[in-house]
mmCIF file of all heavy atoms in Angstrom:
data_model
loop_
_atom_site.group_PDB
_atom_site.id
_atom_site.type_symbol
_atom_site.label_atom_id
_atom_site.label_comp_id
_atom_site.label_asym_id
_atom_site.label_seq_id
_atom_site.Cartn_x
_atom_site.Cartn_y
_atom_site.Cartn_z
ATOM 1 N N THR A 1 -9.684 -5.388 23.145
ATOM 2 C CA THR A 1 -8.406 -4.680 23.029
ATOM 3 C C THR A 1 -8.019 -4.142 24.385
ATOM 4 O O THR A 1 -8.834 -3.608 25.097
ATOM 5 C CB THR A 1 -8.560 -3.508 21.998
ATOM 6 O OG1 THR A 1 -8.997 -4.009 20.766
ATOM 7 C CG2 THR A 1 -7.211 -2.788 21.824
ATOM 8 N N TYR A 2 -6.729 -4.326 24.703
ATOM 9 C CA TYR A 2 -6.251 -3.865 25.999
ATOM 10 C C TYR A 2 -4.916 -3.124 25.823
ATOM 11 O O TYR A 2 -4.173 -3.359 24.884
ATOM 12 C CB TYR A 2 -6.136 -4.995 27.025
ATOM 13 C CG TYR A 2 -5.413 -6.237 26.507
ATOM 14 C CD1 TYR A 2 -4.034 -6.354 26.657
ATOM 15 C CD2 TYR A 2 -6.099 -7.272 25.892
ATOM 16 C CE1 TYR A 2 -3.380 -7.474 26.191
ATOM 17 C CE2 TYR A 2 -5.449 -8.393 25.438
ATOM 18 C CZ TYR A 2 -4.076 -8.500 25.589
ATOM 19 O OH TYR A 2 -3.446 -9.594 25.124
ATOM 20 N N GLU A 3 -4.642 -2.246 26.762
ATOM 21 C CA GLU A 3 -3.430 -1.419 26.754
ATOM 22 C C GLU A 3 -2.389 -2.059 27.674
ATOM 23 O O GLU A 3 -2.724 -2.526 28.753
ATOM 24 C CB GLU A 3 -3.784 -0.016 27.265
ATOM 25 C CG GLU A 3 -2.624 0.932 27.345
ATOM 26 C CD GLU A 3 -3.033 2.301 27.875
ATOM 27 O OE1 GLU A 3 -4.026 2.372 28.641
ATOM 28 O OE2 GLU A 3 -2.364 3.266 27.531
ATOM 29 N N LEU A 4 -1.174 -2.068 27.193
ATOM 30 C CA LEU A 4 -0.034 -2.535 28.037
ATOM 31 C C LEU A 4 0.593 -1.311 28.716
ATOM 32 O O LEU A 4 0.928 -0.312 28.062
ATOM 33 C CB LEU A 4 1.026 -3.210 27.138
ATOM 34 C CG LEU A 4 0.514 -4.399 26.312
ATOM 35 C CD1 LEU A 4 1.539 -4.810 25.312
ATOM 36 C CD2 LEU A 4 0.185 -5.547 27.233
ATOM 37 N N ILE A 5 0.733 -1.408 30.037
ATOM 38 C CA ILE A 5 1.241 -0.262 30.821
ATOM 39 C C ILE A 5 2.444 -0.743 31.634
ATOM 40 O O ILE A 5 2.337 -1.680 32.400
ATOM 41 C CB ILE A 5 0.156 0.275 31.748
ATOM 42 C CG1 ILE A 5 -1.072 0.715 30.947
ATOM 43 C CG2 ILE A 5 0.694 1.419 32.600
ATOM 44 C CD1 ILE A 5 -2.298 0.937 31.769
ATOM 45 N N ASN A 6 3.551 -0.023 31.467
ATOM 46 C CA ASN A 6 4.731 -0.294 32.287
ATOM 47 C C ASN A 6 4.759 0.664 33.469
ATOM 48 O O ASN A 6 4.555 1.861 33.306
ATOM 49 C CB ASN A 6 6.034 -0.105 31.484
ATOM 50 C CG ASN A 6 6.341 -1.283 30.599
ATOM 51 O OD1 ASN A 6 5.664 -2.284 30.622
ATOM 52 N ND2 ASN A 6 7.367 -1.140 29.784
ATOM 53 N N THR A 7 4.984 0.108 34.661
ATOM 54 C CA THR A 7 5.076 0.894 35.891
ATOM 55 C C THR A 7 6.522 0.832 36.356
ATOM 56 O O THR A 7 7.101 -0.236 36.441
ATOM 57 C CB THR A 7 4.136 0.332 36.979
ATOM 58 O OG1 THR A 7 2.798 0.328 36.477
ATOM 59 C CG2 THR A 7 4.209 1.151 38.249
ATOM 60 N N TYR A 8 7.070 2.005 36.656
ATOM 61 C CA TYR A 8 8.478 2.143 37.047
ATOM 62 C C TYR A 8 8.587 2.384 38.550
ATOM 63 O O TYR A 8 8.066 3.356 39.077
ATOM 64 C CB TYR A 8 9.133 3.276 36.278
ATOM 65 C CG TYR A 8 9.118 3.016 34.796
ATOM 66 C CD1 TYR A 8 8.032 3.385 34.033
ATOM 67 C CD2 TYR A 8 10.172 2.360 34.173
ATOM 68 C CE1 TYR A 8 8.000 3.085 32.645
ATOM 69 C CE2 TYR A 8 10.156 2.105 32.810
ATOM 70 C CZ TYR A 8 9.060 2.455 32.070
ATOM 71 O OH TYR A 8 9.038 2.192 30.706
ATOM 72 N N ILE A 9 9.233 1.435 39.228
ATOM 73 C CA ILE A 9 9.372 1.484 40.694
ATOM 74 C C ILE A 9 10.847 1.647 41.042
ATOM 75 O O ILE A 9 11.687 0.826 40.628
ATOM 76 C CB ILE A 9 8.751 0.261 41.347
ATOM 77 C CG1 ILE A 9 7.258 0.215 41.035
ATOM 78 C CG2 ILE A 9 8.993 0.268 42.885
ATOM 79 C CD1 ILE A 9 6.563 -1.007 41.520
ATOM 80 N N SER A 10 11.153 2.664 41.796
ATOM 81 C CA SER A 10 12.528 2.967 42.185
ATOM 82 C C SER A 10 13.167 1.776 42.908
ATOM 83 O O SER A 10 12.590 1.208 43.807
ATOM 84 C CB SER A 10 12.598 4.187 43.092
ATOM 85 O OG SER A 10 13.875 4.329 43.645
ATOM 86 N N GLU A 11 14.395 1.460 42.479
ATOM 87 C CA GLU A 11 15.140 0.345 43.112
ATOM 88 C C GLU A 11 15.596 0.777 44.526
ATOM 89 O O GLU A 11 15.727 -0.070 45.395
ATOM 90 C CB GLU A 11 16.348 0.020 42.236
ATOM 91 C CG GLU A 11 16.821 -1.386 42.385
ATOM 92 C CD GLU A 11 17.894 -1.705 41.360
ATOM 93 O OE1 GLU A 11 18.782 -0.876 41.099
ATOM 94 O OE2 GLU A 11 17.843 -2.817 40.842
ATOM 95 N N LYS A 12 15.790 2.089 44.719
ATOM 96 C CA LYS A 12 16.264 2.553 46.050
ATOM 97 C C LYS A 12 15.143 2.804 47.038
ATOM 98 O O LYS A 12 15.226 2.377 48.179
ATOM 99 C CB LYS A 12 17.029 3.863 45.849
ATOM 100 C CG LYS A 12 18.307 3.743 45.067
ATOM 101 C CD LYS A 12 18.940 5.110 44.881
ATOM 102 C CE LYS A 12 20.177 4.999 43.981
ATOM 103 N NZ LYS A 12 20.768 6.306 43.698
ATOM 104 N N THR A 13 14.090 3.486 46.610
ATOM 105 C CA THR A 13 13.036 3.889 47.561
ATOM 106 C C THR A 13 11.781 3.048 47.464
ATOM 107 O O THR A 13 10.882 3.180 48.302
ATOM 108 C CB THR A 13 12.637 5.364 47.302
ATOM 109 O OG1 THR A 13 12.039 5.459 46.000
ATOM 110 C CG2 THR A 13 13.811 6.301 47.419
ATOM 111 N N TYR A 14 11.693 2.192 46.453
ATOM 112 C CA TYR A 14 10.501 1.347 46.220
ATOM 113 C C TYR A 14 9.224 2.134 45.979
ATOM 114 O O TYR A 14 8.125 1.632 46.145
ATOM 115 C CB TYR A 14 10.318 0.341 47.365
ATOM 116 C CG TYR A 14 11.506 -0.518 47.584
ATOM 117 C CD1 TYR A 14 12.344 -0.345 48.675
ATOM 118 C CD2 TYR A 14 11.826 -1.536 46.667
ATOM 119 C CE1 TYR A 14 13.476 -1.110 48.854
ATOM 120 C CE2 TYR A 14 12.953 -2.314 46.865
ATOM 121 C CZ TYR A 14 13.759 -2.106 47.951
ATOM 122 O OH TYR A 14 14.884 -2.892 48.115
ATOM 123 N N GLN A 15 9.359 3.399 45.571
ATOM 124 C CA GLN A 15 8.211 4.239 45.247
ATOM 125 C C GLN A 15 7.975 4.190 43.753
ATOM 126 O O GLN A 15 8.912 4.064 42.966
ATOM 127 C CB GLN A 15 8.443 5.678 45.687
ATOM 128 C CG GLN A 15 8.492 5.848 47.201
ATOM 129 C CD GLN A 15 8.639 7.291 47.596
ATOM 130 O OE1 GLN A 15 8.918 8.148 46.765
ATOM 131 N NE2 GLN A 15 8.419 7.573 48.867
ATOM 132 N N THR A 16 6.720 4.330 43.378
ATOM 133 C CA THR A 16 6.362 4.381 41.967
ATOM 134 C C THR A 16 6.770 5.737 41.408
ATOM 135 O O THR A 16 6.327 6.784 41.911
ATOM 136 C CB THR A 16 4.846 4.169 41.764
ATOM 137 O OG1 THR A 16 4.507 2.893 42.308
ATOM 138 C CG2 THR A 16 4.470 4.213 40.300
ATOM 139 N N LEU A 17 7.615 5.718 40.372
ATOM 140 C CA LEU A 17 8.072 6.973 39.772
ATOM 141 C C LEU A 17 7.198 7.397 38.586
ATOM 142 O O LEU A 17 7.179 8.551 38.243
ATOM 143 C CB LEU A 17 9.518 6.843 39.340
ATOM 144 C CG LEU A 17 10.547 6.564 40.454
ATOM 145 C CD1 LEU A 17 11.955 6.502 39.906
ATOM 146 C CD2 LEU A 17 10.453 7.624 41.543
ATOM 147 N N GLY A 18 6.555 6.437 37.965
ATOM 148 C CA GLY A 18 5.694 6.778 36.832
ATOM 149 C C GLY A 18 5.211 5.545 36.094
ATOM 150 O O GLY A 18 5.588 4.412 36.407
ATOM 151 N N GLU A 19 4.341 5.832 35.116
ATOM 152 C CA GLU A 19 3.798 4.787 34.259
ATOM 153 C C GLU A 19 3.897 5.258 32.811
ATOM 154 O O GLU A 19 3.915 6.435 32.530
ATOM 155 C CB GLU A 19 2.328 4.511 34.576
ATOM 156 C CG GLU A 19 2.104 3.896 35.929
ATOM 157 C CD GLU A 19 0.628 3.603 36.170
ATOM 158 O OE1 GLU A 19 -0.234 4.148 35.487
ATOM 159 O OE2 GLU A 19 0.374 2.788 37.061
ATOM 160 N N LYS A 20 3.966 4.282 31.903
ATOM 161 C CA LYS A 20 4.044 4.611 30.483
ATOM 162 C C LYS A 20 3.304 3.530 29.700
ATOM 163 O O LYS A 20 3.500 2.336 29.901
ATOM 164 C CB LYS A 20 5.527 4.657 30.061
ATOM 165 C CG LYS A 20 5.731 4.979 28.600
ATOM 166 C CD LYS A 20 7.195 5.281 28.256
ATOM 167 C CE LYS A 20 8.056 4.055 28.435
ATOM 168 N NZ LYS A 20 9.422 4.191 27.914
ATOM 169 N N SER A 21 2.444 3.997 28.776
ATOM 170 C CA SER A 21 1.778 3.067 27.858
ATOM 171 C C SER A 21 2.788 2.599 26.832
ATOM 172 O O SER A 21 3.529 3.382 26.264
ATOM 173 C CB SER A 21 0.613 3.780 27.157
ATOM 174 O OG SER A 21 0.026 2.924 26.247
ATOM 175 N N VAL A 22 2.826 1.277 26.606
ATOM 176 C CA VAL A 22 3.789 0.730 25.643
ATOM 177 C C VAL A 22 3.089 0.030 24.490
ATOM 178 O O VAL A 22 3.706 -0.798 23.810
ATOM 179 C CB VAL A 22 4.799 -0.212 26.342
ATOM 180 C CG1 VAL A 22 5.711 0.581 27.259
ATOM 181 C CG2 VAL A 22 4.125 -1.306 27.093
ATOM 182 N N GLY A 23 1.805 0.315 24.277
ATOM 183 C CA GLY A 23 1.101 -0.253 23.125
ATOM 184 C C GLY A 23 -0.197 -0.943 23.512
ATOM 185 O O GLY A 23 -0.600 -0.926 24.688
ATOM 186 N N THR A 24 -0.800 -1.547 22.511
ATOM 187 C CA THR A 24 -2.050 -2.300 22.709
ATOM 188 C C THR A 24 -1.944 -3.668 22.088
ATOM 189 O O THR A 24 -1.112 -3.902 21.202
ATOM 190 C CB THR A 24 -3.265 -1.570 22.088
ATOM 191 O OG1 THR A 24 -3.043 -1.434 20.682
ATOM 192 C CG2 THR A 24 -3.479 -0.218 22.731
ATOM 193 N N GLU A 25 -2.772 -4.588 22.577
ATOM 194 C CA GLU A 25 -2.896 -5.921 22.023
ATOM 195 C C GLU A 25 -4.354 -6.297 21.996
ATOM 196 O O GLU A 25 -5.174 -5.662 22.689
ATOM 197 C CB GLU A 25 -2.108 -6.951 22.850
ATOM 198 C CG GLU A 25 -0.610 -6.820 22.697
ATOM 199 C CD GLU A 25 0.141 -7.937 23.455
ATOM 200 O OE1 GLU A 25 -0.504 -8.828 24.043
ATOM 201 O OE2 GLU A 25 1.384 -7.883 23.442
ATOM 202 N N SER A 26 -4.690 -7.307 21.236
ATOM 203 C CA SER A 26 -6.097 -7.800 21.144
ATOM 204 C C SER A 26 -6.166 -9.274 21.253
ATOM 205 O O SER A 26 -5.253 -9.988 20.831
ATOM 206 C CB SER A 26 -6.713 -7.353 19.827
ATOM 207 O OG SER A 26 -6.778 -5.963 19.720
ATOM 208 N N ASN A 27 -7.263 -9.757 21.838
ATOM 209 C CA ASN A 27 -7.622 -11.186 21.872
ATOM 210 C C ASN A 27 -9.038 -11.326 21.371
ATOM 211 O O ASN A 27 -9.853 -10.446 21.607
ATOM 212 C CB ASN A 27 -7.519 -11.755 23.296
ATOM 213 C CG ASN A 27 -6.133 -12.189 23.672
ATOM 214 O OD1 ASN A 27 -5.229 -12.176 22.882
ATOM 215 N ND2 ASN A 27 -5.965 -12.558 24.923
ATOM 216 N N THR A 28 -9.319 -12.439 20.702
ATOM 217 C CA THR A 28 -10.659 -12.693 20.217
ATOM 218 C C THR A 28 -11.250 -13.880 20.948
ATOM 219 O O THR A 28 -10.575 -14.888 21.148
ATOM 220 C CB THR A 28 -10.616 -12.972 18.708
ATOM 221 O OG1 THR A 28 -10.043 -11.853 18.035
ATOM 222 C CG2 THR A 28 -12.027 -13.190 18.145
ATOM 223 N N PHE A 29 -12.510 -13.741 21.359
ATOM 224 C CA PHE A 29 -13.208 -14.768 22.110
ATOM 225 C C PHE A 29 -14.511 -15.119 21.374
ATOM 226 O O PHE A 29 -15.144 -14.253 20.803
ATOM 227 C CB PHE A 29 -13.567 -14.270 23.521
ATOM 228 C CG PHE A 29 -12.390 -13.926 24.343
ATOM 229 C CD1 PHE A 29 -11.903 -12.622 24.381
ATOM 230 C CD2 PHE A 29 -11.759 -14.892 25.103
ATOM 231 C CE1 PHE A 29 -10.802 -12.303 25.150
ATOM 232 C CE2 PHE A 29 -10.657 -14.568 25.887
ATOM 233 C CZ PHE A 29 -10.173 -13.281 25.907
ATOM 234 N N ASN A 30 -14.887 -16.363 21.420
ATOM 235 C CA ASN A 30 -16.213 -16.803 20.958
ATOM 236 C C ASN A 30 -17.082 -16.909 22.155
ATOM 237 O O ASN A 30 -16.774 -17.649 23.112
ATOM 238 C CB ASN A 30 -16.104 -18.148 20.221
ATOM 239 C CG ASN A 30 -15.386 -18.021 18.906
ATOM 240 O OD1 ASN A 30 -15.681 -17.105 18.141
ATOM 241 N ND2 ASN A 30 -14.474 -18.905 18.625
ATOM 242 N N VAL A 31 -18.192 -16.161 22.151
ATOM 243 C CA VAL A 31 -19.072 -16.089 23.324
ATOM 244 C C VAL A 31 -20.490 -16.362 22.879
ATOM 245 O O VAL A 31 -20.977 -15.855 21.888
ATOM 246 C CB VAL A 31 -18.983 -14.680 23.932
ATOM 247 C CG1 VAL A 31 -19.878 -14.535 25.116
ATOM 248 C CG2 VAL A 31 -17.560 -14.341 24.341
ATOM 249 N N TYR A 32 -21.201 -17.161 23.706
ATOM 250 C CA TYR A 32 -22.618 -17.411 23.478
ATOM 251 C C TYR A 32 -23.414 -16.436 24.314
ATOM 252 O O TYR A 32 -23.227 -16.344 25.541
ATOM 253 C CB TYR A 32 -22.983 -18.849 23.865
ATOM 254 C CG TYR A 32 -24.408 -19.199 23.581
ATOM 255 C CD1 TYR A 32 -24.834 -19.566 22.302
ATOM 256 C CD2 TYR A 32 -25.357 -19.135 24.588
ATOM 257 C CE1 TYR A 32 -26.143 -19.874 22.031
ATOM 258 C CE2 TYR A 32 -26.678 -19.451 24.334
ATOM 259 C CZ TYR A 32 -27.060 -19.825 23.040
ATOM 260 O OH TYR A 32 -28.357 -20.098 22.764
ATOM 261 N N ALA A 33 -24.268 -15.650 23.671
ATOM 262 C CA ALA A 33 -25.059 -14.637 24.383
ATOM 263 C C ALA A 33 -26.330 -14.329 23.593
ATOM 264 O O ALA A 33 -26.473 -14.678 22.428
ATOM 265 C CB ALA A 33 -24.250 -13.364 24.580
ATOM 266 N N GLU A 34 -27.256 -13.627 24.257
ATOM 267 C CA GLU A 34 -28.517 -13.243 23.588
ATOM 268 C C GLU A 34 -28.373 -11.946 22.821
ATOM 269 O O GLU A 34 -29.068 -11.756 21.826
ATOM 270 C CB GLU A 34 -29.620 -13.096 24.652
ATOM 271 C CG GLU A 34 -30.008 -14.431 25.239
ATOM 272 C CD GLU A 34 -31.149 -14.316 26.205
ATOM 273 O OE1 GLU A 34 -32.013 -13.428 26.009
ATOM 274 O OE2 GLU A 34 -31.178 -15.099 27.162
ATOM 275 N N THR A 35 -27.490 -11.024 23.234
ATOM 276 C CA THR A 35 -27.320 -9.755 22.554
ATOM 277 C C THR A 35 -25.837 -9.444 22.380
ATOM 278 O O THR A 35 -25.008 -9.984 23.121
ATOM 279 C CB THR A 35 -27.956 -8.584 23.383
ATOM 280 O OG1 THR A 35 -27.206 -8.464 24.605
ATOM 281 C CG2 THR A 35 -29.427 -8.840 23.682
ATOM 282 N N PRO A 36 -25.488 -8.590 21.465
ATOM 283 C CA PRO A 36 -24.092 -8.185 21.321
ATOM 284 C C PRO A 36 -23.521 -7.519 22.590
ATOM 285 O O PRO A 36 -22.376 -7.757 22.951
ATOM 286 C CB PRO A 36 -24.130 -7.150 20.140
ATOM 287 C CG PRO A 36 -25.320 -7.534 19.375
ATOM 288 C CD PRO A 36 -26.317 -8.037 20.375
ATOM 289 N N ASP A 37 -24.340 -6.714 23.279
ATOM 290 C CA ASP A 37 -23.872 -6.080 24.527
ATOM 291 C C ASP A 37 -23.530 -7.133 25.589
ATOM 292 O O ASP A 37 -22.515 -7.008 26.270
ATOM 293 C CB ASP A 37 -24.934 -5.118 25.073
ATOM 294 C CG ASP A 37 -25.072 -3.868 24.243
ATOM 295 O OD1 ASP A 37 -24.135 -3.543 23.486
ATOM 296 O OD2 ASP A 37 -26.117 -3.211 24.340
ATOM 297 N N GLU A 38 -24.389 -8.129 25.713
ATOM 298 C CA GLU A 38 -24.111 -9.217 26.659
ATOM 299 C C GLU A 38 -22.849 -9.956 26.294
ATOM 300 O O GLU A 38 -22.030 -10.308 27.144
ATOM 301 C CB GLU A 38 -25.297 -10.167 26.740
ATOM 302 C CG GLU A 38 -25.083 -11.274 27.753
ATOM 303 C CD GLU A 38 -26.207 -12.316 27.704
ATOM 304 O OE1 GLU A 38 -27.137 -12.201 26.903
ATOM 305 O OE2 GLU A 38 -26.099 -13.286 28.517
ATOM 306 N N ALA A 39 -22.650 -10.191 24.986
ATOM 307 C CA ALA A 39 -21.452 -10.877 24.531
ATOM 308 C C ALA A 39 -20.186 -10.081 24.834
ATOM 309 O O ALA A 39 -19.185 -10.639 25.270
ATOM 310 C CB ALA A 39 -21.535 -11.119 23.017
ATOM 311 N N GLU A 40 -20.252 -8.777 24.676
ATOM 312 C CA GLU A 40 -19.094 -7.917 24.999
ATOM 313 C C GLU A 40 -18.757 -7.955 26.477
ATOM 314 O O GLU A 40 -17.589 -8.056 26.843
ATOM 315 C CB GLU A 40 -19.366 -6.479 24.522
ATOM 316 C CG GLU A 40 -19.381 -6.345 22.999
ATOM 317 C CD GLU A 40 -19.868 -5.004 22.497
ATOM 318 O OE1 GLU A 40 -20.248 -4.123 23.314
ATOM 319 O OE2 GLU A 40 -19.857 -4.814 21.270
ATOM 320 N N GLU A 41 -19.776 -7.908 27.328
ATOM 321 C CA GLU A 41 -19.550 -7.960 28.777
ATOM 322 C C GLU A 41 -18.949 -9.345 29.180
ATOM 323 O O GLU A 41 -18.015 -9.395 29.985
ATOM 324 C CB GLU A 41 -20.826 -7.706 29.547
ATOM 325 C CG GLU A 41 -21.263 -6.254 29.494
ATOM 326 C CD GLU A 41 -20.195 -5.292 29.945
ATOM 327 O OE1 GLU A 41 -19.563 -5.508 31.009
ATOM 328 O OE2 GLU A 41 -19.958 -4.295 29.238
ATOM 329 N N LYS A 42 -19.448 -10.415 28.593
ATOM 330 C CA LYS A 42 -18.913 -11.734 28.904
ATOM 331 C C LYS A 42 -17.458 -11.850 28.427
ATOM 332 O O LYS A 42 -16.618 -12.425 29.116
ATOM 333 C CB LYS A 42 -19.745 -12.811 28.236
ATOM 334 C CG LYS A 42 -21.066 -13.085 28.934
ATOM 335 C CD LYS A 42 -21.816 -14.240 28.253
ATOM 336 C CE LYS A 42 -23.039 -14.626 29.037
ATOM 337 N NZ LYS A 42 -23.739 -15.794 28.446
ATOM 338 N N ALA A 43 -17.160 -11.302 27.254
ATOM 339 C CA ALA A 43 -15.785 -11.361 26.751
ATOM 340 C C ALA A 43 -14.850 -10.542 27.618
ATOM 341 O O ALA A 43 -13.722 -10.953 27.881
ATOM 342 C CB ALA A 43 -15.733 -10.885 25.292
ATOM 343 N N LYS A 44 -15.266 -9.376 28.074
ATOM 344 C CA LYS A 44 -14.441 -8.580 28.988
ATOM 345 C C LYS A 44 -14.151 -9.339 30.257
ATOM 346 O O LYS A 44 -13.007 -9.350 30.751
ATOM 347 C CB LYS A 44 -15.140 -7.244 29.346
ATOM 348 C CG LYS A 44 -15.088 -6.209 28.285
ATOM 349 C CD LYS A 44 -15.811 -4.946 28.788
ATOM 350 C CE LYS A 44 -15.878 -3.884 27.795
ATOM 351 N NZ LYS A 44 -16.588 -2.682 28.296
ATOM 352 N N SER A 45 -15.167 -10.008 30.803
ATOM 353 C CA SER A 45 -14.992 -10.801 32.004
ATOM 354 C C SER A 45 -14.014 -11.946 31.769
ATOM 355 O O SER A 45 -13.124 -12.207 32.591
ATOM 356 C CB SER A 45 -16.344 -11.356 32.463
ATOM 357 O OG SER A 45 -16.184 -12.156 33.576
ATOM 358 N N GLN A 46 -14.142 -12.596 30.624
ATOM 359 C CA GLN A 46 -13.249 -13.702 30.287
ATOM 360 C C GLN A 46 -11.819 -13.177 30.103
ATOM 361 O O GLN A 46 -10.863 -13.778 30.562
ATOM 362 C CB GLN A 46 -13.725 -14.403 29.039
ATOM 363 C CG GLN A 46 -13.003 -15.703 28.749
ATOM 364 C CD GLN A 46 -13.644 -16.453 27.576
ATOM 365 O OE1 GLN A 46 -14.719 -16.119 27.117
ATOM 366 N NE2 GLN A 46 -12.949 -17.452 27.117
ATOM 367 N N CYS A 47 -11.667 -12.035 29.400
ATOM 368 C CA CYS A 47 -10.332 -11.453 29.210
ATOM 369 C C CYS A 47 -9.719 -11.002 30.517
ATOM 370 O O CYS A 47 -8.516 -11.118 30.691
ATOM 371 C CB CYS A 47 -10.457 -10.286 28.234
ATOM 372 S SG CYS A 47 -8.852 -9.571 27.752
#
């Protein structure tokens, strides 16, 4: 699961004015591993 974040950059000054979370999304991966922890780390890397 990952968070979508919008970053707002001023058109005039090109400075970052702020960020806002706009929701979450998920992807599912099939991973071959020896343990669930190893599988989670491999999936994070793949994502």
Side-chain angles (χ1 to χ4, degrees):
T1 303
Y2 49 90
E3 179 181 27
L4 302 169
I5 302 166
N6 281 355
T7 302
Y8 298 87
I9 299 175
S10 169
E11 207 173 41
K12 294 177 185 176
T13 64
Y14 303 106
Q15 292 183 348
T16 301
L17 299 181
E19 293 182 341
K20 180 170 66 170
S21 175
V22 292
T24 60
E25 288 185 3
S26 296
N27 275 354
T28 302
F29 299 92
N30 290 314
V31 178
Y32 183 81
E34 291 183 32
T35 66
D37 289 339
E38 181 186 1
E40 290 170 358
E41 289 305 312
K42 284 183 173 184
K44 282 181 184 179
S45 177
Q46 190 173 349
C47 186

